């Protein structure tokens, strides 16, 4: 049951900063998943309690039309995740990383890890039923290229020349921002060089 007010990725990062530290592969959330992911972040925070155990989202992305919420704990290897497209749908399986349970602390960690994994997969299942664009009830659309979960309205819009509106909310860290700004400045400099060359040629 969703009890949390939907939040943007930036808002979620402000509320749960530890969950968004150093994502290895990036955080990209479809706007239609905002209710599901907001609730997931709140549930994870409650499971962790005071001891956050170095938890963070390593990647949030779309795969086969629905969400994938990958996470890690600092200093511990993550479980292996397998997703296979089958004729009847997507088969998802988690292969737990083999860890020796030697202490009560190890046992406590495994309990937390198992519960968060259950919550994440439950949230992923929920995104199979909602439109990526708006969050309304949706179903898989495979008529035009890549498989996406869409409501009837956005399924029809996808057929139009204009296509779907931008529905991604991306969370960029400082390195990403710096790299993009550097690329922007490089592009501007190249454009100015080309314009200056054309101007010089015209003057000759």
């Amino acid at each position: 049951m969703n009890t949390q007010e939907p939040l943007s990725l930036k808002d979620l990062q402000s509320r749960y900063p530890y969950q968004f530290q150093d994502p290895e592969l990036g955080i990209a959330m479809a706007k239609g998943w905002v209710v599901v992911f907001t609730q997931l972040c709140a549930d994870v925070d409650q499971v962790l309690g005071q001891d956050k155990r170095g938890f963070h989202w390593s990647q949030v992305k779309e795969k086969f039309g629905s969400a994938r919420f990958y996470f890690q704990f600092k200093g511990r290897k993550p479980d292996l995740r397998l997703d296979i497209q089958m004729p009847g749908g997507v088969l998802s399986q988690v292969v737990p990383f083999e860890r020796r349970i030697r202490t009560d602390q190890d046992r406590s960690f495994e309990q937390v890890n198992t519960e968060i994994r259950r919550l994440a997969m439950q949230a992923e299942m929920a995104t199979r039923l909602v439109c990526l664009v708006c969050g309304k009830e949706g179903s898989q659309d495979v008529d035009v290229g890549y498989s996406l979960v869409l409501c009837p309205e956005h399924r029809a819009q996808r057929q139009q020349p204009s296509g779907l509106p931008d529905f991604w909310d991306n969370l960029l860290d400082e390195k990403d921002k710096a790299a993009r700004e550097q690329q922007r400045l490089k592009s501007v400099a190249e454009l100015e060089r080309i314009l200056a060359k054309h101007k010089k040629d015209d003057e000759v």
Side-chain angles (χ1 to χ4, degrees), residues 43-49 51-55 71 73 76 79 99 104-120:
D43 290 342
V44 166
D45 188 63
Q46 186 172 11
V47 170
L48 290 170
D51 184 2
K52 305 308 182 186
R53 303 171 186 264
F55 173 92
F71 62 89
F73 293 87
R76 295 181 182 267
D79 298 328
R99 287 177 283 262
D104 289 342
Q105 187 177 11
D106 293 338
R107 190 171 294 104
S108 174
F109 168 77
E110 288 301 332
Q111 290 174 346
V112 168
N113 182 52
T114 299
E115 177 60 12
I116 291 178
R117 184 171 66 231
R118 184 190 69 80
L119 289 169

Side-chain angles (χ1 to χ4, degrees), residues 118-136:
R118 184 190 69 80
L119 289 169
M121 295 196 74
Q122 179 178 286
E124 290 174 9
M125 290 291 293
T127 65
R128 295 183 185 183
L129 304 175
V130 297
C131 175
L132 285 89
V133 182
C134 65
K136 295 179 181 178

Side-chain angles (χ1 to χ4, degrees), residues 139-169:
S139 59
Q140 199 169 56
D141 174 37
V142 294
D143 291 339
V144 182
Y146 195 77
S147 174
L148 296 175
V149 177
L150 299 171
C151 65
E153 177 185 349
H154 287 111
R155 183 189 295 261
Q157 188 174 356
R158 191 184 189 190
Q159 302 281 346
Q160 302 302 314
S162 58
L164 294 171
D166 179 26
F167 54 84
W168 290 110
D169 186 5

